[in-house]
Amino acid sequence: MELTKSALQALRLNLTEPRTPTALKAFCDKLRLETSGKVFFNKGGLSFIREAIIAADFGAIRGASLVRLVPEVERRPYFELIFPDRTERFEQVEADRDGRRRGDDYEALAQMPTCYVHHVEVPSQEEVIEIVRRTARKKAKPYPAGTRLLIYLNLPRFPSDECLLASFPEAISEACPFFSAIWITWQGIPHQVCSAS
């Protein structure tokens, strides 16, 4: 895949065309396979592809007919889910540990022997809640009316996470007044944690 600025701008514009969630995911997966893991996850100019994958997965789970990125000229929000009877517009943000560079994780794994068992550090419940709180706080500002927020929680789940889910409404409370709904997607499972209605 060509990574020039103009090529990436054209690709970003292409993703504003409505596609079914399945078609959008397939299109973005093809782009991902054309790029090394280190580049795909660390290059800032490719973040819109990662975010389109998250939007496609979320749209599929929610039963959206179509998904598209919102044109950059509109500034905010980030993507739309199009249903037969309505369109939902979402701002999107990833919640992860500070300073994590996933491309470095992929590069380290690629250098391990094939029999290597990768150990994933499981965060404490307090750490997960603080990451969610910090992420929501960053988005606590005015958005166009009706905008929803999707927080993509990029952390491993663990057995006691049902109890942890109950802590999310308080953790995102600062952002609630600015959105008509807030969803958190954790390991592919969406949870609506705040709604104006």
Side-chain angles (χ1 to χ4, degrees), residues 72-84:
E72 285 186 292
V73 294
E74 294 185 37
R75 309 289 292 170
R76 297 182 302 197
Y78 200 78
F79 72 89
E80 290 180 341
L81 298 186
I82 303 168
F83 298 88

Side-chain angles (χ1 to χ4, degrees), residues 130-143:
E130 185 49 39
I131 288 169
V132 169
R133 177 177 285 111
R134 185 179 65 241
T135 303
R137 188 179 297 136
K138 286 180 194 173
K139 294 295 177 178
K141 55 192 171 191
Y143 285 84

Side-chain angles (χ1 to χ4, degrees), residues 90-106:
F90 283 85
E91 180 66 8
Q92 182 185 130
V93 63
E94 183 174 345
D96 203 344
R97 289 187 168 105
D98 279 341
R100 181 181 178 207
R101 290 172 51 89
R102 283 184 284 161
D104 294 346
D105 295 347
Y106 277 78

Side-chain angles (χ1 to χ4, degrees), residues 1-4 8-9 11-12 15 24 28 31-32 35-56 69 72 78-79 91-94 102 139 152:
M1 175 173 55
E2 191 178 12
L3 298 179
T4 64
L8 293 175
Q9 286 175 337
L11 185 54
R12 172 68 174 76
L15 294 176
L24 178 59
C28 292
L31 296 172
R32 180 172 57 184
T35 313
S36 75
K38 181 173 183 178
V39 171
F40 184 77
F41 285 105
N42 285 349
K43 185 171 176 61
L46 296 177
S47 61
F48 69 91
I49 300 172
R50 298 190 297 271
E51 291 158 356
I53 291 170
I54 293 166
L69 299 187
E72 285 186 292
Y78 200 78
F79 72 89
E91 180 66 8
Q92 182 185 130
V93 63
E94 183 174 345
R102 283 184 284 161
K139 294 295 177 178
Y152 174 70

Side-chain angles (χ1 to χ4, degrees), residues 1-195:
M1 175 173 55
E2 191 178 12
L3 298 179
T4 64
K5 185 175 180 180
S6 60
L8 293 175
Q9 286 175 337
L11 185 54
R12 172 68 174 76
L13 182 61
N14 180 294
L15 294 176
T16 64
E17 293 298 318
R19 291 175 169 84
T20 66
T22 302
L24 178 59
K25 178 75 183 293
F27 182 80
C28 292
D29 281 347
K30 182 178 180 294
L31 296 172
R32 180 172 57 184
L33 290 172
E34 294 174 3
T35 313
S36 75
K38 181 173 183 178
V39 171
F40 184 77
F41 285 105
N42 285 349
K43 185 171 176 61
L46 296 177
S47 61
F48 69 91
I49 300 172
R50 298 190 297 271
E51 291 158 356
I53 291 170
I54 293 166
D57 287 341
F58 184 59
I61 292 168
R62 295 279 317 286
S65 303
L66 301 168
V67 183
R68 75 179 194 116
L69 299 187
V70 173
E72 285 186 292
V73 294
E74 294 185 37
R75 309 289 292 170
R76 297 182 302 197
Y78 200 78
F79 72 89
E80 290 180 341
L81 298 186
I82 303 168
F83 298 88
D85 61 339
R86 69 190 186 283
T87 296
E88 296 180 357
R89 298 188 115 195
F90 283 85
E91 180 66 8
Q92 182 185 130
V93 63
E94 183 174 345
D96 203 344
R97 289 187 168 105
D98 279 341
R100 181 181 178 207
R101 290 172 51 89
R102 283 184 284 161
D104 294 346
D105 295 347
Y106 277 78
E107 184 176 35
L109 280 173
Q111 296 174 12
M112 296 295 174
T114 54
C115 61
Y116 174 76
V117 176
H118 179 60
H119 171 73
V120 177
E121 183 182 342
V122 176
S124 69
Q125 290 194 9
E126 293 76 19
E127 183 180 7
V128 173
I129 293 167
E130 185 49 39
I131 288 169
V132 169
R133 177 177 285 111
R134 185 179 65 241
T135 303
R137 188 179 297 136
K138 286 180 194 173
K139 294 295 177 178
K141 55 192 171 191
Y143 285 84
T147 300
R148 295 155 174 85
L149 175 64
L150 174 63
I151 298 174
Y152 174 70
L153 185 53
N154 190 21
L155 296 169
R157 294 185 71 163
F158 38 86
S160 59
D161 60 6
E162 288 306 316
C163 167
L164 184 55
L165 290 173
S167 302
F168 287 167
E170 188 281 324
I172 54 90
S173 60
E174 281 186 52
C176 277
F178 299 96
F179 297 98
S180 62
I182 297 179
W183 292 76
I184 294 178
T185 297
W186 194 8
Q187 293 293 304
I189 301 172
H191 308 274
Q192 186 171 355
V193 291
C194 173
S195 175

